[in-house]
Amino acid sequence: MLFVNASDYLPTSEAVGVRLTIHDKDEFPFPDTFGYSAPTGYISSFGMRMKKMSRLPAPYGDCIAEGATSNYVYKGYTYSTEVSRGCYRTCFQQLIIDRCGCGDPRFPSIGHHQHCQVFNKEHSRCQQPCNQTIYTMSYSEAIWPSQSLNITLGTCEEEPEICNEQYQENAAMLEVFYEALNFETLTESEAYGVVKMLADFGGQLGLWSGVSFMTCCEFVCLGCELLYMVIMHHWKKYKFKKHEEDNNFQ
């Protein structure tokens, strides 16, 4: 249960409640773009499922293998996952620094770098991380607390009816749970590897040339026999020539 103390809200506030975002422990949260709102006076249930992504780096794919790029603004955090929001903000900050000489105060500064144009692929190219954890959410809500609730919750020391009215105006009940204790893993693999290429190459040779393993062994044996015959031929010539020289010397 969370208390928001609606009486302290500014007159320009459009809604009362809390903002919730689910993210990996090593990632920087973005509740403004990837968050869920939980209003006061309701019990909000968030069921989540975890999905792990494993992408192939170069030369098979195009992803960030480890950590983040050198100019990533959120130091100490892993590369942003949801549509590379951290990468987009890094490109935006780089553009502001190059054009204005100062960074946007909403984002961390990245220091002095070379000029970055918005359509320059070297600075504005956002890649997906090779290892990524994604949480999918399902949301449901119900009015809370019910009129029949006669127990005192939190720090309220008034009558249950008065406490219920205060909770409806200033409190929100949140339930965050795993819908299932298993998770899904998606792993990329090369479509045509070296082993498959060698197997197809051998199959094509066997189909069109009649070449098999036994045929290759026969060619090796033939080569060894030819080499042996050549060596023996030269050896006999050498012995015969040496024998003639010895006879002439005598």
Side-chain angles (χ1 to χ4, degrees), residues 122-143:
E122 181 179 356
H123 297 284
S124 301
R125 182 164 166 263
C126 293
Q127 302 164 270
Q128 293 289 341
C130 292
N131 297 314
Q132 180 180 10
T133 302
I134 301 175
Y135 294 93
T136 57
M137 302 291 297
S138 61
Y139 171 71
S140 63
E141 65 179 17
I143 297 177

Side-chain angles (χ1 to χ4, degrees), residues 2 14 36 59 73 83 86 91 103 122 172 187 226-227 232 239 246:
L2 299 177
E14 297 180 353
Y36 300 88
V73 294
V83 298
C91 294
E122 181 179 356
T187 304
L226 291 176
L227 181 62
M232 292 302 298
K239 294 290 291 183
D246 292 340

Side-chain angles (χ1 to χ4, degrees), residues 10-171:
L10 296 175
T12 56
S13 300
E14 297 180 353
V16 178
V18 295
R19 189 76 171 173
L20 175 71
T21 181
I22 305 296
H23 62 93
D24 200 54
K25 60 183 180 64
D26 296 327
E27 296 176 358
F28 191 86
F30 299 102
D32 53 341
T33 54
F34 301 105
Y36 300 88
S37 298
T40 58
Y42 287 85
I43 177 172
S44 302
S45 298
F46 297 90
M48 59 181 181
R49 288 179 176 269
M50 187 175 67
K51 181 186 298 183
K52 287 184 175 292
M53 298 285 295
S54 180
R55 300 182 177 89
L56 289 177
Y60 303 103
D62 185 16
C63 61
I64 301 297
E66 295 181 359
T69 54
S70 58
N71 61 343
Y72 191 62
V73 294
Y74 299 101
K75 303 298 182 182
Y77 294 92
T78 57
Y79 197 69
S80 175
T81 58
E82 298 294 338
V83 298
S84 300
R85 178 61 57 182
C87 179
Y88 293 147
R89 294 187 178 185
T90 301
C91 294
F92 179 78
Q93 183 72 303
Q94 182 71 64
L95 183 63
I96 294 298
I97 291 176
D98 291 339
R99 290 190 176 182
C100 303
C102 58
D104 193 317
R106 296 177 299 171
F107 312 128
S109 178
I110 56 178
H112 300 286
H113 294 275
Q114 297 180 355
H115 179 70
C116 175
Q117 298 179 1
V118 68
F119 295 109
N120 190 340
K121 293 184 178 181
E122 181 179 356
H123 297 284
S124 301
R125 182 164 166 263
C126 293
Q127 302 164 270
Q128 293 289 341
C130 292
N131 297 314
Q132 180 180 10
T133 302
I134 301 175
Y135 294 93
T136 57
M137 302 291 297
S138 61
Y139 171 71
S140 63
E141 65 179 17
I143 297 177
W144 176 88
S146 64
Q147 298 297 328
S148 60
L149 183 64
N150 292 322
I151 60 175
T152 301
L153 300 175
T155 58
C156 182
E157 298 179 355
E158 303 293 338
E159 295 295 328
E161 293 79 5
I162 300 177
C163 291
N164 290 345
E165 293 180 0
Q166 294 182 2
Y167 293 151
Q168 289 180 353
E169 296 179 359
N170 300 284

